[in-house]
Amino acid sequence: MKKRMKQLMALGLTGMLVFTGCTGKVEEPVIEETPEVVIEEVTEPEEVVEETVEEIVPLSIRTETKQKTYYFEDGEDAYLYLQYCDVSVEGDEYQKLKRSVENWSMERSEGLRSLYASFEESAAEEVEENENFYGYSLYQTVTTARADDRVLSLLDDTYQYVGGEHGMFYREGINFDSQTGKRVALSDILSNYDNFIEEAKERIIYELREDYGEELFDDYVTVIEELWKDGSEPQWYLDASGIVIVLQEYSVGPYAIGSPEIHLPYTEFKPYIKEAYLPGEETGVAAFSANQEVFLSIPGQAEEISMMLMSEQQEEVMYNSLWFGQTELELGDYLVLENAYIVRTETDIYCMLVVDEVSDDYVTYIYRLTGGAIEKVDELAAAIDAGNINPQEVRMKTWVYMLGTYEGVKNYHFDENGEFISEDTEYQLPKNEYVLTTTVDLPCMAENDEGELSEWKLPAGSHIILTAADDNSYVRFSIQETGQEGILNVQRSEEEYYHITIGGMDGETLDENDCFEVLPYAG
């Protein structure tokens, strides 16, 4: 087990002149004097220079997930399924941060891809010993914990299965200073570091004892005491509520308790945290957890307003309510809170909650927080893509049931009226690599750069990969061998949602299952 943990960890933020006239008596001839020429200084009016306030541009992070399958020499049997992420900073405003993030991302993904060779030999042995061997898995997921003009905190999660009863999970916090682009250690964002460490240890031990009690290993206190040993630091990140300390699987307890995370709230640890890293009123996004109090700075108000998502288990039901100031909104019950975010746009503050109501059927509830009130904006049968959530744009993902089951994504944004809208007319299928093989000739369309359509025939035996769909009347695809793109017109039944038909070459209506060798429907 320790060997596996080590392997996983390796994968491992500017005068006026005054004069007097003289008069004399006219008794004697007057000698006319040349009058003194007085030059009056003209003072130009001072130019009024308007003070300009530097506009803070929202930080925008983009994460693209890539997948690759490695096969044995026979080209048929897979021994490794790899998923990795390319992370980038959009726009030109955060150039230093952009370089740092993209360099880190490139090195990280290259490191993951280079591991395939080390898996091949052990996988070959596994095949000989286990007839039910279906390959190893190595999945990386990068999500946003906090992103604003002060801090960028990313969660780099890796799941690895290399045999045994279960896989292993490892979480690393990747933290940058948004202004300097420097990747920051916990010590960089704190003052009076030694006192912080002692107070943090006490808090971590207390929270572990309260949450897990007798499930903890006997030496868990020693493990916590040694987190900062010899200048080392635990894994950590920043979210909406404070500093979060990450404890890895098997570090303080059995596999069943997972990876405990201990929250050190901004309110309690503020004396240690440098001002430059505390949340402000700027646009940005930040994740938060249930039962963790978040204090929000509201423009025009001197005092912060607290917000909390309260979840309480009563018998077999989880009861939930959202508090903002003195306002409570009952949310009812749901299976799991998938994730939750605070989104600050230039004009409003929103709370977005993604819940799993019935086993992977995700719903996102969106609320506006204003003046101590909670206003429901919308609810969508979709989940937030947590690697692509920004003040200007939020990528939402959902299941698309068209010639199979695929994860489809659309981009949404808050408009000037505070509505959560999308201008996308179709779902993109960026993660799909499944190859469909046609069993009959099918009529399809080609679209040129001007949007003009022309008809052509997709022959039986073609290998296509779906790239987009409107969830009702058509799918886009590319041919695996050539990359040629096309459009298939389909029809969803009004009576049965999952029933899809396709028009044949002779105008007949064909069931989708009669047009392909296999369709990858889930469930």
Side-chain angles (χ1 to χ4, degrees), residues 72 77-79 122-133:
F72 290 115
D77 298 319
Y79 67 86
S122 58
E125 296 176 359
E126 186 88 16
V127 169
E128 296 295 326
E129 300 173 2
N130 182 5
E131 61 181 12
N132 295 319
F133 175 72

Side-chain angles (χ1 to χ4, degrees), residues 14-41:
T14 163
M16 179 181 297
L17 297 177
V18 179
F19 62 92
T20 303
C22 300
T23 60
K25 298 179 181 179
V26 191
E27 293 180 356
E28 297 183 10
V30 177
I31 301 175
E32 191 171 345
E33 296 182 358
T34 303
E36 183 179 358
V37 179
V38 178
I39 302 176
E40 199 172 312
E41 183 177 338

